């Protein structure tokens, strides 16, 4: 009964501890054994030494652990994710630059992204994306990409999010054809590649609300890019 009550709690987004419920999840879902952490990291580092792209890079242990945790401690699967992330970081270095502080005080369009103050009972961080608030004349597309990337990576610094993942709400209220114009095949593919081949995040649910003809068209374009696992989880559209 005690465990059931814990699962019904809406945990705060900011957490500096791991409840027993989450620790148990790491064992059952992520094949994580605390006593094996050092050995897992050692073997992963040995594998990196033989990789032509990553051999000369000194990664921090916490960063490597993020990729191991994402692939349920399968180093052979973690390696291509880490390699893809490194190549993305190298080839698109401009996306890792900061967004101008002035934009946040002058442009309402920067309010497009929000991280909700509470997690779901299963510990997921909830990200709200209100596309109708975005005006790319005020908040350029490159800054939009930077902000989204920063938000995801910053979230993943938290062990609670590493273990439980994300739930994402796309709100399409007030979207227009102007927003559709930036959904080019190139941009959609980049979003897919970064989200599913580079960033070690667990995406548990996708909710699309305030749907429209625009949303239907966008989904028909985007679904072909999704991995099979995500295709089987049709987005919840309201």
């Amino acid at each position: 009964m005690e465990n059931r009550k814990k699962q019904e709690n809406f945990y705060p987004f900011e957490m500096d501890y791991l409840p027993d419920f989450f620790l148990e999840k790491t064992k059952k879902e992520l094949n994580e054994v605390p006593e094996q952490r050092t050995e897992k990291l050692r073997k992963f580092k040995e594998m990196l030494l033989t990789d032509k792209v990553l051999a000369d890079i000194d990664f921090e242990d916490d960063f490597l652990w993020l990729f191991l945790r994402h692939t349920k401690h399968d180093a052979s699967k973690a390696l291509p994710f880490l390699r893809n992330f490194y190549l993305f970081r190298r080839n698109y270095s401009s996306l890792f630059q900061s967004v101008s502080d002035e934009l946040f005080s002058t442009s309402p369009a920067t309010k497009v992204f929000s991280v909700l103050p509470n997690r779901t009972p299963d510990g997921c961080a909830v990200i709200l994306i209100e596309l109708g608030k975005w005006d790319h004349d005020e908040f350029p597309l490159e800054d939009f990409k930077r902000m989204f990337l920063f938000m995801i990576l910053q979230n993943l610094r938290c062990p609670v999010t590493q273990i439980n993942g994300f739930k994402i709400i796309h709100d399409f209220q007030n979207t227009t054809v102007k927003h559709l114009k930036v959904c080019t095949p190139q941009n959609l593919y980049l979003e897919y590649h970064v989200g599913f081949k580079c960033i070690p995040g667990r995406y548990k649910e996708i909710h699309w609300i305030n749907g429209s003809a625009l949303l239907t068209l966008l989904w028909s374009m985007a679904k072909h890019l999704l991995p099979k696992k995500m295709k089987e989880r049709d987005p919840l559209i309201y």
Side-chain angles (χ1 to χ4, degrees):
M1 180 65 69
E2 182 180 354
N3 287 336
R4 183 177 301 173
K5 288 182 179 179
K6 289 183 178 180
Q7 294 182 40
E8 293 173 352
N9 290 335
F10 284 87
Y11 295 94
F13 170 71
E14 295 187 7
M15 298 180 64
D16 57 4
Y17 69 100
L18 286 174
D20 292 340
F21 168 54
F22 296 159
L23 291 173
E24 187 65 25
K25 183 185 287 191
T26 65
K27 298 177 183 178
K28 292 182 177 180
E29 294 186 13
L30 305 181
N31 303 319
E32 185 168 315
V33 180
E35 294 79 12
Q36 298 178 3
R37 179 181 177 118
T38 301
E39 182 63 14
K40 294 280 187 180
L41 281 171
R42 185 188 67 78
K43 290 183 177 180
F44 191 27
K45 288 179 179 180
E46 285 183 354
M47 189 178 292
L48 296 180
L49 291 176
T50 64
D51 188 85
K52 294 181 180 179
V53 175
L54 306 172
D56 297 326
I57 304 174
D58 185 19
F59 294 103
E60 294 184 0
D61 287 354
D62 286 348
F63 187 69
L64 296 179
W65 187 252
L66 173 57
F67 286 84
L68 281 174
R69 185 171 259 170
H70 173 252
T71 55
K72 300 181 180 180
H73 299 84
D74 186 337
S76 64
K77 293 182 179 180
L79 178 59
F81 257 91
L82 179 57
R83 187 190 302 120
N84 287 345
F85 182 88
Y86 169 76
L87 292 174
F88 169 66
R89 173 70 175 80
R90 186 185 69 183
N91 296 335
Y92 292 88
S93 58
S94 64
L95 295 183
F96 288 81
Q97 297 176 3
S98 62
V99 177
S100 171
D101 290 341
E102 184 180 356
L103 278 175
F104 292 96
S105 59
T106 60
S107 174
T110 57
K111 307 299 183 182
V112 62
F113 300 114
S114 303
V115 180
L116 301 192
N118 290 323
R119 297 175 178 273
T120 57
D122 56 359
C124 291
V126 182
I127 295 175
L128 174 63
I129 305 174
E130 300 173 278
L131 288 174
K133 291 183 176 181
W134 179 45
D135 183 342
H136 57 69
D137 292 329
E138 294 183 10
F139 189 42
L141 178 60
E142 289 301 293
D143 284 332
F144 180 97
K145 293 177 181 178
R146 290 187 185 104
M147 190 170 174
F148 180 73
L149 183 62
F150 171 79
M151 181 179 59
I152 294 293
L153 293 177
Q154 190 68 13
N155 266 275
L156 284 174
R157 297 183 65 179
C158 176
V160 180
T161 307
Q162 293 172 17
I163 294 168
N164 299 298
F166 299 95
K167 294 185 180 181
I168 301 176
I169 303 172
H170 294 273
D171 185 351
F172 282 81
Q173 186 173 12
N174 298 324
T175 53
T176 66
V177 175
K178 184 177 181 180
H179 294 91
L180 183 61
K181 288 182 179 179
V182 301
C183 298
T184 63
Q186 181 182 10
N187 285 332
L188 289 175
Y189 179 78
L190 180 63
E191 182 179 1
Y192 154 75
H193 178 71
V194 174
F196 294 103
K197 298 294 184 179
C198 300
I199 294 177
R202 307 184 73 200
Y203 307 103
K204 307 302 290 184
E205 291 181 7
I206 300 175
H207 298 257
W208 289 8
I209 62 176
N210 296 314
S212 63
L214 174 64
L215 170 57
T216 302
L217 179 59
L218 180 60
W219 172 239
S220 67
M221 297 166 58
K223 67 180 180 180
H224 299 292
L225 297 173
L226 297 177
K228 182 179 179 181
K229 183 176 181 180
M230 290 303 297
K231 284 181 180 178
E232 293 172 351
R233 298 181 191 171
D234 287 336
L236 304 177
I237 301 178
Y238 304 94

